[in-house]
Amino acid sequence: MKHIAIIAGDGIGVDVTREAVKVFERAEKVYDFKLEMTHFDWGAEKYLTEGVTMPEGSLEMFKNEYDAIFAGAFGDPRVPDMKHAADILLGLRFGLDLYINLRPVKPLHNNLIPLKGRTTADVNFVVFRENTEGMYVNVGGIFKKGTAEEIALQEDVNTRRGVERIIVAAFEYARKHGRKRVTMADKSNVLRYGHDLWQRTFAEVAMRYPEIENNTQFVDATTMWMVLKPDQFDVIVTNNMFGDIITDLGASLQGGLGMAASGNIHPGKVSLFEPVHGSAPKYAGKNVTNPIGAILTAAMLLDYIGYSEAANGIEKAVIDCLAVGKMTRDIGGGLSTTDMGDAICEAMK
Ligand code: IPM
Ligand code: MN
């Protein structure tokens, strides 16, 4: 039996996690396995009342007792600096060394693609976002704060080991999934040191995968090509910050943030799965939000822990629902959050 931690978090995180849990329960029945789900009340409310974000000992607990973690979303207007969100989300990513942020860009219905004349055959790639380094390490400082001479330094940390392991993960994925090409998005024309390292490492790793095409692009061009010629992409590998940016664009190519799934992965270790969207406080508790991103994220989690048949079945159920117009409002339909979740459960044979 697999042990899953469920952290619904804040805002619509709660609404969409409820639907994801329904799908987990449905998958248990249809595919005949058993999950042990343990819920954690981490989020803004706990932080505001108890001063606790991620309780001490949590990382060890997850490493020792869990197979995967599902998280909804974090963010609350009562915590303007988002301290709890950074502590929990970034704390898990860094603390569990989840170096792969895997974000598929795969629209599941033609109508969801905002690009003129494009179909699902043209947009189908995955982004490998480095998830433990770069500008997210928070190395730096402020000098002469509040004065006219203030200096703020925010370092961009790129290590050979960190860069190599994400590039290797991208090529391994391409090999395993029969993808033709790996594209690296960098900014080596400007970031002379850090991205020199990315360029050299990419060239070296690419040589170990002669059957897979490779190319590199400057990330500004990548954003352009994602819109103009998305069919050129199979696997994109990039750093933490660029990956953050291009995956919001990637989400819009598949129908918006409500549709996008993601996994924070360290192969072989307890990993974290969360939809790409945030907590959208103004829609919280109104039963209007789109649970599909969270449900596809649940499918990614199941795939990761070995239930790939269930994962495929969930994706197929989503496709079947969309095909008959069962959609939430953000993507042009009329279903509530709970009705969408129910429809997907129903479609899982
Ligand atoms: C994401 C989010 C996070 C990030 C925030 C909430 C820290 O935007 O998962 O893409 O920047 O990584
Ligand atoms: Mn983001």
Side-chain angles (χ1 to χ4, degrees):
M1 182 160 68
K2 303 287 184 179
H3 197 185
I4 314 288
I6 309 277
I7 316 170
D10 307 321
I12 62 163
V14 176
D15 306 56
V16 299
T17 299
R18 197 177 293 126
E19 303 312 306
V21 168
K22 273 190 339 206
V23 167
F24 280 136
E25 287 167 349
R26 177 80 178 148
E28 288 181 299
K29 291 208 184 72
V30 175
Y31 297 95
D32 196 28
F33 56 75
K34 196 81 199 82
L35 300 172
E36 189 185 339
M37 290 186 255
T38 305
H39 292 261
F40 292 85
D41 63 350
W42 303 356
E45 192 61 39
K46 187 180 181 74
Y47 175 55
L48 290 167
T49 54
E50 299 169 31
V52 177
T53 55
M54 181 159 65
E56 206 153 323
S58 301
L59 294 174
E60 286 312 307
M61 172 191 70
F62 286 139
K63 284 185 203 165
N64 295 332
E65 299 166 29
Y66 286 82
D67 296 287
I69 305 162
F70 180 94
F74 301 96
D76 186 298
R78 295 171 298 167
V79 189
D81 65 358
M82 298 266 280
K83 177 176 162 33
H84 69 297
D87 273 19
I88 297 168
L89 197 55
L90 300 179
L92 289 170
R93 288 180 187 171
F94 283 82
L96 298 173
D97 197 29
L98 305 174
Y99 66 93
I100 300 168
N101 195 325
L102 175 59
R103 297 188 160 180
V105 178
K106 184 181 179 191
L108 300 181
H109 191 288
N110 287 340
N111 292 357
L112 298 177
I113 306 173
L115 307 175
K116 196 168 56 185
R118 293 294 185 179
T119 69
T120 53
D122 302 313
V123 187
N124 183 356
F125 58 93
V126 294
V127 177
F128 275 72
R129 165 186 175 189
E130 203 292 321
N131 213 29
T132 50
E133 303 194 336
M135 284 197 258
Y136 277 71
V137 296
N138 266 323
V139 172
I142 293 184
F143 182 46
K144 300 188 182 173
K145 189 168 186 169
T147 72
E149 289 81 39
E150 179 161 353
I151 299 171
L153 296 178
Q154 188 86 45
E155 298 296 339
D156 179 16
V157 172
N158 301 272
T159 69
R160 170 71 201 206
R161 174 173 163 271
V163 171
E164 180 162 346
R165 66 183 182 172
I166 189 68
I167 294 173
V168 166
F171 276 97
E172 281 296 320
Y173 179 95
R175 179 173 276 174
K176 185 164 168 225
H177 293 85
R179 295 283 194 161
K180 206 171 79 200
R181 178 186 299 127
V182 176
T183 303
M184 178 169 79
D186 68 27
K187 196 68 187 164
S188 52
N189 51 343
V190 175
L191 305 176
R192 293 281 283 279
Y193 312 115
H195 289 206
D196 183 74
L197 174 62
W198 279 80
Q199 282 277 331
R200 280 182 286 116
T201 309
F202 186 76
E204 278 175 42
V205 173
M207 288 211 296
R208 297 181 219 151
Y209 299 85
E211 81 280 15
I212 297 163
E213 288 175 28
N214 70 82
N215 66 327
T216 75
Q217 286 176 353
F218 301 138
V219 67
D220 47 347
T222 302
T223 60
M224 176 184 73
W225 291 126
M226 281 171 70
V227 172
L228 294 182
K229 211 175 171 308
D231 49 319
Q232 72 184 275
F233 297 116
D234 270 330
V235 178
I236 296 178
V237 62
T238 192
N239 70 11
N240 208 342
M241 183 57 79
F242 297 164
D244 178 47
I245 297 166
I246 70 170
T247 55
D248 268 26
L249 176 55
S252 18
L253 296 185
Q254 47 191 325
L257 281 168
M259 296 297 297
S262 94
N264 301 262
I265 297 169
H266 186 132
K269 296 195 179 174
V270 57
S271 293
L272 164 70
F273 296 80
E274 31 134 12
V276 177
H277 65 70
S279 62
K282 78 172 180 198
Y283 299 117
K286 295 192 174 141
N287 203 22
V288 294
T289 197
N290 184 351
I292 296 179
I295 287 168
L296 294 171
T297 297
M300 276 180 90
L301 183 154
L302 291 176
D303 187 55
Y304 182 73
I305 61 173
Y307 300 123
S308 51
E309 199 193 338
N312 294 335
I314 293 166
E315 186 184 279
K316 173 141 191 331
V318 172
I319 292 171
D320 290 347
C321 285
L322 296 173
V324 295
K326 289 183 179 158
M327 298 178 173
T328 44
R329 280 191 231 161
D330 58 312
I331 51 173
L335 293 193
S336 67
T337 309
T338 44
D339 286 346
M340 189 75 236
D342 288 343
I344 292 166
C345 286
E346 179 71 25
M348 290 166 65
K349 301 288 171 332

